[in-house]
């Protein structure tokens, strides 16, 4: 679960204020038990994908990728929809949706 | 700092000694400011180097990190079997420690021999003493030579090599193989599990077989395994031994030994006839590295170290954390370099939290990926994912996760080389 993000657009002031309250409360619910959980989970990927997701080889970097794309790719691996998968389809099954979302969120915020 | 005297006393005594303004009296990392917490890490392998780097990175310089390592450069065990097979050189598996210096980590070259848990100091063989708030030991393994009288002398150990810590013995074993006559026998003896790197001996057998196939086709590889069966990646290794290495590799299980005669390269078997080889490669039974076993940290069967899986703090001594192969592993958790790197990050997060007053993560995860080279290009893997189980207070595998390669393939040969470069950078750059 990602914290709710606001994109631009004009909304009536009152609705806007309510929406902010709602977003803050949604965001609070989405907070993991430990503030560094996303960082800690993502560190497991570094062995193959590089520290903070910056790979020094042809294995794809994860740093700076859109969180939605990482989540979608992990789901494809987990569901067996990546034809030439060698290992990620096995590793992807080890994590919950929430854990994958936290890792993806962390990587999306790292400089490429 | 655990000192009991207050700041005024400190200023008085320090002033009287003429030491005010130096860091010598307390070993503080900062002068005139608030002292930084100090972490000392022993062992610059997959566990220790990773811990040092991640504590420096995650504390953003708020923790003073020192790495004690006896070697001049890191030499990787993973991929070193390819040096023995001849498709890689030592330079390909050797990485400088200089990258850690760029992260502000102080490196001390030396051999750590003991620590004072009350004074929180680590002592080195040369008499140096280092103060710590938290001590992290990643000592790897040492051999239980007491079980093999025939290897009591240094001469015997240089003749019948283990070559199970990458370095000069890796080269020495390669030289024994290149000097061997065609038609000779290379035998590797594998101790009962647990030992460092479960698939490593089988990968080594494949690498030696690959070399013989190229250069000495009449020669044989004999695997003498003390275990009841192949410990790791059984089907994948058997396929190679019965396929591309048919007629070269012979596997024998339940091969326990009494002793070895290094002069004649002969294994004294517990059952059956003695076995003699032209090149004899003996992996003695293993235990946690010397600094752990000589300081009471080996509280599991006097071989391995028990820890709290949330922090990697020893259950025997407070403020001392242990990583890597020295641990009494959790179920289905291999003693691998990849695993040690993952231990190190959980430990680093916990130590940073402990020293900066934050909460320790109560839901740590670790994953393992282990590639084995069947020849110079084709590779197989085993992978697993482990989560902390609060009820059992240990790590357990996540059901349905992990697995093996379907078959040896060159795509994973590329990934294995890539894995090595990324994990070495993850530890050392």
């Amino acid at each position: 679960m990602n914290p709710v993000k606001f994109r631009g657009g004009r909304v009536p002031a009152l609705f806007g204020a309510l929406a902010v309250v709602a977003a803050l409360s949604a965001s609070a619910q989405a907070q993991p038990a430990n503030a560094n959980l996303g960082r800690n989970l993502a560190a497991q990927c570094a062995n193959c994908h590089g520290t903070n997701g910056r790979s020094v080889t042809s294995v794809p970097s994860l740093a700076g990728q859109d969180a939605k794309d990482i989540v979608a790719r992990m789901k494809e691996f987990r569901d067996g929809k990546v034809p030439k998968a060698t290992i990620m389809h096995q590793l992807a099954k080890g994590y919950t949706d929430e854990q994958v979302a936290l890792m993806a969120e962390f990587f999306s915020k790292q400089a490429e | 700092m655990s000192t009991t005297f207050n700041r005024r006393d400190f200023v008085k005594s320090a002033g009287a000694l003429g030491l005010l303004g130096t860091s010598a009296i307390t070993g503080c990392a900062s002068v005139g400011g608030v002292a930084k917490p100090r972490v000392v890490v022993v062992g610059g392998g997959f566990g220790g180097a990773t811990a040092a780097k991640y504590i420096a990175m995650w504390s953003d310089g708020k923790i003073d990190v020192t790495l004690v390592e006896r070697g001049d450069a890191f030499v990787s065990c993973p991929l070193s079997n390819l040096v023995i097979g001849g498709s890689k050189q030592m330079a390909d598996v050797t990485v400088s420690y200089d990258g850690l210096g760029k992260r502000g980590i102080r490196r001390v070259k030396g051999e750590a021999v003991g620590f004072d848990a009350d004074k929180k100091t680590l002592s080195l063989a040369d008499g140096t003493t280092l103060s710590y708030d938290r001590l992290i030991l990643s000592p790897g393994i040492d051999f239980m030579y007491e079980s093999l009288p025939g290897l009591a002398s240094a001469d015997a150990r240089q003749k019948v090599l283990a070559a199970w810590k990458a370095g000069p013995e890796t080269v020495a074993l390669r030289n024994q193989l290149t000097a061997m006559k065609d038609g000779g026998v290379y035998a590797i003896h594998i101790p009962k599990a647990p030992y460092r790197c479960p698939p490593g001996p089988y990968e080594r057998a494949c690498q030696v077989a690959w070399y013989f196939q190229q250069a000495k086709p009449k020669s044989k590889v004999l695997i003498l395994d003390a275990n009841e069966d192949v410990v790791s990646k059984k089907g994948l290794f058997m396929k190679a031994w019965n396929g591309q290495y048919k007629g070269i590799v012979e596997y024998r299980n339940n091969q326990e030994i009494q002793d070895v005669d290094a002069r004649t390269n002969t294994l004294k078997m517990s059952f059956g006839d003695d076995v003699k080889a032209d090149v004899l490669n003996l992996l003695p039974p293993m235990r946690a590295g010397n600094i752990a076993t000589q300081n009471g940290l080996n509280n599991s069967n006097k071989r391995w170290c028990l820890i709290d899986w949330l922090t990697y703090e020893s259950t025997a001594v407070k403020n001392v954390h242990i990583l890597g192969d020295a641990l009494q592993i959790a179920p289905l958790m291999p003693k691998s370099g990849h695993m040690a790197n993952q231990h190190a990050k959980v430990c680093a997060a916990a130590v940073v939290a402990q020293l900066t007053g934050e909460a320790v993560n109560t839901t740590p995860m670790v994953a393992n990926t282990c590639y084995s080279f069947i020849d110079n290009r084709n590779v197989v893997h085993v992978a697993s994912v482990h989560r902390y189980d609060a009820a059992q207070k240990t790590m357990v595998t996540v059901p349905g996760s992990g697995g093996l390669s379907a078959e040896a393939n060159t795509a994973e040969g590329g990934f294995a080389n890539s894995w090595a470069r990324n994990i070495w950078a993850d530890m050392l750059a």
Side-chain angles (χ1 to χ4, degrees), chain B residues 280-302:
Chain B
L280 183 55
N281 184 190
L282 172 52
L283 314 183
M286 302 171 202
R287 55 170 171 72
N290 285 338
I291 190 167
T293 51
Q294 290 168 3
N295 293 278
L297 299 170
N298 53 329
N299 52 356
S300 176
N301 203 20
K302 294 190 175 172

Side-chain angles (χ1 to χ4, degrees), chain B residues 377-421:
Chain B
R377 295 170 66 236
N378 287 283
V379 162
V380 295
H381 82 258
V382 61
S384 53
V385 182
H386 311 249
R387 65 167 178 82
Y388 183 70
D389 185 287
Q392 299 179 65
K393 294 190 170 159
T394 189
M395 301 299 290
V396 296
T397 52
V398 178
S401 71
L404 295 150
S405 303
E407 59 184 350
N409 64 90
T410 55
E412 292 198 86
F415 288 140
N417 279 300
S418 180
W419 167 87
R421 284 170 57 206

Side-chain angles (χ1 to χ4, degrees), chain A residues 1-3 24-37 98 102:
Chain A
M1 283 182 291
N2 292 317
L24 286 174
S25 106
S27 173
Q29 282 166 13
Q31 286 299 309
N34 187 291
N36 292 316
L37 195 53
E98 188 178 13
L102 286 166

Side-chain angles (χ1 to χ4, degrees), chain B residues 263-281:
Chain B
R263 194 179 49 82
T264 58
N265 275 6
T266 305
L267 288 173
K268 308 281 181 193
M269 310 308 295
S270 298
F271 305 100
D273 297 339
D274 292 354
V275 177
K276 196 174 172 183
D278 296 280
V279 174
L280 183 55
N281 184 190

Side-chain angles (χ1 to χ4, degrees), chain B residues 99-166:
Chain B
L100 294 178
K102 291 176 193 147
R103 291 189 173 267
I105 295 160
R106 183 163 70 115
R107 188 158 58 88
V108 174
K109 191 182 172 191
E111 174 98 20
V113 290
F115 55 86
D116 184 322
D118 295 324
K119 291 182 183 162
K120 295 204 233 177
T121 55
L122 175 77
S123 8
L124 310 190
D126 67 4
T128 305
T129 301
L130 299 168
S131 295
Y132 63 80
D133 293 295
R134 295 269 167 184
L135 176 64
I136 300 177
L137 304 178
S138 192
I141 51 100
D142 274 302
F143 299 115
M144 298 165 73
Y145 285 121
E146 62 273 20
S147 65
L148 293 166
L151 290 183
S153 75
D155 284 351
R157 292 176 204 173
Q158 281 165 23
K159 175 112 185 304
V160 176
L161 295 163
W164 214 238
K165 298 177 184 183

Side-chain angles (χ1 to χ4, degrees), chain B residues 2-267:
Chain B
S2 59
T3 175
T4 51
F5 63 113
N6 63 33
R7 190 171 192 287
R8 179 175 297 186
D9 291 336
F10 167 75
V11 171
K12 271 196 302 196
S13 62
L17 290 166
L19 290 169
L20 193 61
T22 80
S23 64
I25 192 164
T26 60
C28 293
S30 62
V31 178
V34 178
K36 288 185 192 178
R38 289 159 303 184
V39 171
V40 175
V41 182
V42 174
F46 283 92
T50 306
K53 169 175 163 173
Y54 272 75
I55 289 170
M57 185 170 79
W58 282 344
S59 73
D60 208 11
K62 292 187 187 70
I63 294 175
D64 182 56
V65 184
T66 300
L67 176 65
V68 179
E69 163 59 41
R70 59 193 165 199
D72 289 317
F74 167 75
V75 185
S76 177
C77 280
L79 265 58
S80 70
N81 277 335
L82 278 70
V83 176
I84 290 164
S87 63
K88 283 197 190 293
Q89 307 297 314
M90 284 304 281
D92 300 325
V93 297
T94 304
V95 186
S96 165
Y97 282 116
D98 291 350
L100 294 178
K102 291 176 193 147
R103 291 189 173 267
I105 295 160
R106 183 163 70 115
R107 188 158 58 88
V108 174
K109 191 182 172 191
E111 174 98 20
V113 290
F115 55 86
D116 184 322
D118 295 324
K119 291 182 183 162
K120 295 204 233 177
T121 55
L122 175 77
S123 8
L124 310 190
D126 67 4
T128 305
T129 301
L130 299 168
S131 295
Y132 63 80
D133 293 295
R134 295 269 167 184
L135 176 64
I136 300 177
L137 304 178
S138 192
I141 51 100
D142 274 302
F143 299 115
M144 298 165 73
Y145 285 121
E146 62 273 20
S147 65
L148 293 166
L151 290 183
S153 75
D155 284 351
R157 292 176 204 173
Q158 281 165 23
K159 175 112 185 304
V160 176
L161 295 163
W164 214 238
K165 298 177 184 183
E169 287 196 14
T170 311
V171 177
L173 180 57
R174 171 68 186 164
N175 290 342
Q176 288 186 356
L177 290 166
T178 54
M180 191 189 87
K181 67 179 189 296
D182 190 10
V185 173
Y186 160 84
I188 181 168
H189 187 266
I190 305 167
K192 284 209 162 189
Y195 56 84
R196 160 179 281 182
C197 189
Y202 311 114
E203 179 193 57
R204 180 172 291 179
C206 288
Q207 289 304 308
V208 175
W210 180 78
Y211 166 63
F212 287 168
Q213 212 166 39
Q214 317 294 312
K216 294 174 179 171
K218 289 184 279 186
S219 308
K220 304 281 184 227
V221 172
L222 181 56
I223 305 170
L224 301 167
D225 196 338
N227 296 285
E228 287 176 15
D229 206 345
V230 179
V231 171
S232 176
K233 304 176 185 170
K234 180 187 173 187
L236 294 162
F237 284 122
M238 295 295 282
K239 191 171 177 187
W241 302 335
N242 293 325
Q244 71 194 88
Y245 299 131
K246 192 171 174 62
I248 300 175
V249 174
E250 180 185 341
Y251 176 82
R252 297 181 193 166
N253 65 347
N254 291 324
Q255 299 293 305
E256 289 193 54
I257 55 171
Q258 294 285 319
D259 200 0
V260 58
D261 181 351
R263 194 179 49 82
T264 58
N265 275 6
T266 305
L267 288 173

